[in-house]
Amino acid sequence: MADLTLLEAIRQALDEEMARDDSILLIGNDVGPRGGVFQATHGLRRKYGPERVIDAPLAEAGMVGVGIGAALYGQRPVVEIQFADFIHPAFNQIVNEAARMHYRSNGAWNVPLVIRAPYGGGIGGGLYYSQSVEAFFARVPGLKVVLPSNPYDAKGLLKAAIRDPNPVLFLEPKQGYRSLQGKVPKDDYTVPIGKAKITRLGERVSLLAYGMMHALALEAAESLAEEGISVEVIDLRTLYPVDQETILASVKKTNRALILYEDNLTGGYGAEIAALIAEHGFASLDAPVRRLAAPDVPAMPYSAALEDAFMPDIEIVKETLRELVAY
Amino acid sequence: MPLNKTTLLDMYWHMLLARRLDERAWQLHKDGEINYHISGIGHEALQVAAAFAIRRGEGGYASDWVAPYYRDLALMLALGYPPQDYLLGLFARAADPSSGGRQMPNHWSFKPANVISVSPVAASQIPHAVGIALAIKNKREDKIVLATSGEGATSQGEWYEAVNWAAVKRLPVVFLVENNQYALSTPQEGQMAVARAADKANGLGLPGVSVDGNDLNAVYDAVSSAAERARKGRGPSLVEAVTYRITPHSSDDDDRAYRGKQEVEAQKKRDPLLHTRIFLETEDVLTSAKQTEFETKARELIEAAVEFARSAPDPDPETLTASLYAEEGADG
């Protein structure tokens, strides 16, 4: 087992899968000789050639649409959207086309397509290189939305996504491309889509997070342990379809829940989890379900001072957890 | 290469069948038996010509691929889509092979003829055609893709993105623009500043030709040349076939709000079915006996299909959530 960064784990997954299955194509802007703006596809063009590592014209809807067509023909394309902020032009292709193809053809056609997109802030990306887009997609029947928080899961989930016969939106916390590190086996393995993971056992409150916020959640939980507050941390990993069982079992045990996410508060992914807990776990609750997210302003201003003000920080996470436990 | 008599008669048969089916659908809607109809009347010649200009699995060749749109009834019939399947779609029955009653009528999917499933969002299917062509080129297979749309769809960003991509990568696609001069109520001059949709090809770096869409031979020749060019690896082409939408946009449209009766009546004189019939009679290809035989055969086929679809079961409500996701092991 080697220590890899999140980015290296993603690249390794792409490389191993491309070696395993020659129907896998990479499509995106600057994914060829440039290796992707974050270097996720570094070296793959030289290894697999221009027919399999394809620099696309600058058109996101076209990229996803062409990916869908290739998938209908039996290829397994992985489309890279350079920044999640640029996925919006492709909304029609993802939601109306990829996600509905199997249902609308009554099972005749399926779309084995992965759409990778770096998301999230904290990198000085301003309004158009920082967005979290999961809430727009994590409610679309026919689509799966996956969001890893660490290198091990990233490799295993990306392999699972590539092998999945359905369209999968794979969102990568770009702030952690280099800072998130961990042991990654050289062996072939997958991490199942649709399963959350309890990453820290606790008793008093369930803290649910994903992606970059998961690292913050763990940090807050460790810090509160010193104050004698036992926090259970759950990494959701797959946002859609969501692992209800793991979430509800944890809340049944702790009787309290906080959902932490980096997106805007209103209509964000945490709203669905809060509703889920209220609907199916109400009897076990000793406190209101809380959401902790970014304010309802466009994500996120360029100025470092404003960006810091936008992102949830550890102090507010800890304070909210204390309030919940004291409720 | 001029079309031989047998082929011409076969083409005319598919045009006639499409027209009679389409008319029957209007009647079924008028009678309250179906909820919606979107018509292809006026498009028959160009669609049948395009279908015959590509490979449809004949002569030992693998079938080409097709990304159609909702006006393509005659195209679908010429690709082997059975009238009975069309009726099952009109009635939204469980056995509708396009979608099991999930999609509105004319939203085709016909895997046996490599026709992909389509939505009504204009030009959404055009990037799919390009993706299929990309895979075909990668695999060095002897196939091409026919992608059809109306002229309105050529205003869409996705249309430009896809056509540009095909031109840049020299992919084997024929983009057939079925210009019926109206996108619902918007006439062509409200849609584009160029005189012909084919002119758009100039700006994108691929050949574009505009032909009379009511002239079976002209469309056949244009699509055949474009298909041959694509097959030889010389890249995509745009073929515009100009016709006229004789009917309202759909059963929910009232075209009196935006065009005069005189205009429609004048255009009916250019009706492709009539035009083709006169041509075939002049060439001694079509006799009145043959015409009667075709009419009878079409009527019998259609009425049998109506009877079948009328009494076919609706989808089971239990299947509402079925086939949302493909299972592991599904082929792509």
Side-chain angles (χ1 to χ4, degrees):
Chain A
M1 278 221 249
D3 264 320
L4 295 187
T5 64
L6 184 74
L7 188 67
E8 287 163 345
I10 287 163
R11 188 190 304 134
Q12 195 173 83
L14 292 172
D15 191 0
E16 288 179 12
E17 289 300 289
M18 290 187 82
R20 181 187 60 82
D21 178 355
D22 64 12
S23 72
I24 296 167
L25 313 172
L26 305 186
I27 297 172
N29 285 138
D30 314 301
V31 297
R34 176 69 177 80
V37 294
F38 291 103
Q39 298 293 287
T41 58
H42 175 77
L44 299 180
R45 168 77 159 233
R46 191 175 306 156
K47 197 163 172 185
Y48 300 105
E51 287 187 353
R52 294 186 60 198
V53 182
I54 301 161
D55 271 333
L58 208 173
E60 285 81 7
M63 276 182 246
V64 174
V66 167
I68 291 169
L72 292 173
Y73 202 76
Q75 305 295 286
R76 294 203 166 231
V78 179
V79 173
E80 177 180 301
I81 301 290
Q82 205 158 65
F83 289 86
D85 314 59
F86 306 164
I87 206 168
H88 307 305
F91 195 84
N92 174 55
Q93 285 293 335
I94 298 169
V95 173
N96 266 335
E97 300 298 324
R100 289 181 176 227
M101 191 68 74
H102 194 256
Y103 188 79
R104 82 183 186 205
S105 66
N106 206 11
W109 298 95
N110 66 301
V111 180
L113 173 73
V114 178
I115 301 159
R116 295 179 41 242
Y119 85 94
I123 60 148
L127 293 169
Y128 297 98
Y129 301 86
S130 304
Q131 295 174 30
S132 295
V133 300
E134 66 274 14
F136 295 124
F137 297 100
R139 63 178 304 280
V140 177
L143 187 67
K144 298 182 181 183
V145 180
V146 174
L147 210 158
S149 71
N150 62 78
Y152 179 90
D153 283 352
K155 181 176 171 184
L157 283 167
L158 184 51
K159 280 173 171 262
I162 289 170
R163 297 175 196 186
D164 199 289
N166 299 285
V168 180
L169 178 59
F170 192 86
L171 296 168
E172 301 167 3
K174 63 176 173 288
Q175 190 191 2
Y177 267 153
R178 289 175 180 83
S179 65
L180 292 171
Q181 299 183 4
K183 299 272 181 227
V184 175
K186 271 197 99 68
D187 326 336
D188 185 38
Y189 68 94
T190 58
V191 170
I193 293 173
K195 293 278 174 221
K197 188 180 180 187
I198 299 170
T199 50
R200 184 186 174 93
L201 283 168
E203 301 298 330
R204 303 287 305 282
V205 55
S206 299
L207 176 54
L208 305 132
Y210 52 91
M212 210 58 211
M213 287 295 113
H214 176 257
L216 192 66
L218 273 185
E219 205 184 325
E222 276 160 31
S223 176
L224 283 182
E226 292 163 17
E227 299 176 21
I229 298 173
S230 167
V231 179
E232 179 147 298
V233 178
I234 296 180
D235 181 359
L236 293 173
R237 301 199 295 189
T238 295
L239 304 189
Y240 194 84
V242 71
D243 181 357
Q244 298 194 11
E245 211 176 311
T246 301
I247 296 168
L248 294 173
S250 175
V251 174
K252 197 171 179 185
K253 179 176 75 172
T254 64
N255 315 118
R256 291 170 169 82
L258 172 64
I259 307 121
L260 172 63
Y261 54 108
E262 192 187 309
D263 194 5
N264 300 125
L265 179 75
T266 302
Y269 187 71
E272 177 59 27
I273 302 302
L276 184 73
I277 296 169
E279 196 166 5
H280 300 291
F282 188 77
S284 59
L285 286 175
D286 286 343
V289 180
R290 293 284 301 271
R291 292 173 293 164
L292 188 55
D296 288 333
V297 299
M300 59 193 61
Y302 180 52
S303 141
L306 294 175
E307 186 182 67
D308 285 350
F310 182 94
M311 298 280 282
D313 71 15
I314 187 157
E315 289 311 320
I316 187 152
V317 178
K318 284 162 65 179
E319 190 47 40
T320 311
L321 288 166
R322 284 189 203 104
E323 283 170 21
L324 260 176
V325 170
Y327 184 86
Chain B
M1 194 174 65
L3 291 157
N4 66 39
K5 283 190 177 187
T6 313
T7 306
L8 282 168
L9 269 182
D10 195 19
M11 292 170 88
Y12 179 69
W13 156 248
H14 284 100
M15 290 177 61
L16 183 80
L17 179 62
R19 175 66 59 91
R20 298 298 174 245
L21 259 176
D22 205 312
E23 290 167 345
R24 190 70 179 90
W26 280 107
Q27 188 60 46
L28 286 168
H29 182 265
K30 206 171 160 189
D31 296 344
E33 287 206 68
I34 60 170
N35 291 326
Y36 184 77
H37 175 50
I38 188 153
S39 178
I41 289 180
H43 288 244
E44 293 93 343
L46 71 92
Q47 289 178 9
V48 170
F52 274 69
I54 63 169
R55 287 178 183 160
R56 298 173 296 146
E58 76 282 16
Y61 291 113
S63 296
D64 290 330
W65 281 58
V66 181
Y69 83 123
Y70 50 72
R71 244 179 255 291
D72 284 338
L73 174 60
L75 177 83
M76 291 299 295
L77 294 171
L79 294 172
Y81 185 66
Q84 185 171 295
D85 288 3
Y86 176 62
L87 264 301
L88 288 167
L90 284 178
F91 281 91
R93 299 307 193 206
D96 155 36
S98 287
S99 80
R102 290 169 173 194
Q103 292 242 63
M104 289 178 80
N106 291 43
H107 293 67
W108 330 103
S109 155
F110 189 49
K111 214 166 186 178
N114 295 335
V115 179
I116 62 169
S117 164
V118 292
S119 80
V121 185
S124 281
Q125 77 282 20
I126 308 298
H128 304 172
V130 175
I132 293 164
L134 179 142
I136 287 171
K137 188 176 178 184
N138 268 3
K139 293 175 153 209
R140 291 166 180 77
E141 291 179 339
D142 184 20
K143 291 179 209 165
I144 65 149
V145 188
L146 173 69
T148 72
S149 73
E151 84 285 359
T154 71
S155 297
Q156 285 277 15
E158 289 185 13
W159 186 87
Y160 283 96
E161 292 183 21
V163 176
N164 176 59
W165 186 315
V168 169
K169 310 279 185 186
R170 296 170 73 89
L171 299 178
V173 197
V174 177
F175 299 103
L176 176 67
V177 177
E178 305 184 20
N179 183 352
N180 64 20
Q181 304 181 45
Y182 284 91
L184 212 162
S185 72
T186 306
Q188 184 191 317
E189 58 268 28
Q191 203 68 245
M192 61 190 83
V194 287
R196 290 289 171 217
D199 297 343
K200 297 185 181 195
N202 293 333
L204 294 164
L206 72 165
V209 293
S210 185
V211 295
D212 179 355
N214 295 331
D215 183 337
L216 195 70
N217 290 290
V219 180
Y220 179 81
D221 289 345
V223 177
S224 296
S225 309
E228 193 188 339
R229 184 184 152 85
R231 228 179 279 286
K232 284 182 174 163
R234 293 166 58 208
S237 306
L238 196 166
V239 176
E240 174 187 24
V242 183
T243 183
Y244 186 82
R245 197 192 72 216
I246 292 170
T247 70
H249 165 72
S250 76
S251 55
D252 292 337
D253 179 33
D254 181 355
D255 63 342
R256 291 170 301 183
Y258 54 86
R259 62 183 185 182
K261 200 173 163 41
Q262 264 187 322
E263 176 189 312
V264 180
E265 289 308 313
Q267 288 285 348
K268 277 184 183 171
K269 296 194 179 92
R270 298 183 63 250
D271 178 336
L273 190 68
L274 186 66
H275 195 75
T276 306
R277 182 177 170 173
I278 293 166
F279 161 71
L280 294 180
E281 284 171 350
T282 315
E283 297 285 310
D284 288 328
V285 174
L286 183 68
T287 60
S288 65
K290 199 74 191 171
Q291 174 72 23
T292 310
E293 181 197 320
F294 279 173
E295 292 283 11
T296 308
K297 189 172 142 194
R299 193 163 51 242
E300 285 171 4
L301 259 176
I302 292 165
E303 289 317 311
V306 169
E307 280 310 308
F308 182 85
R310 197 181 261 147
S311 55
D314 284 330
D316 181 346
E318 296 285 316
T319 64
L320 177 68
T321 56
S323 57
L324 186 53
Y325 290 97
E327 299 299 325
E328 296 292 336
D331 58 342

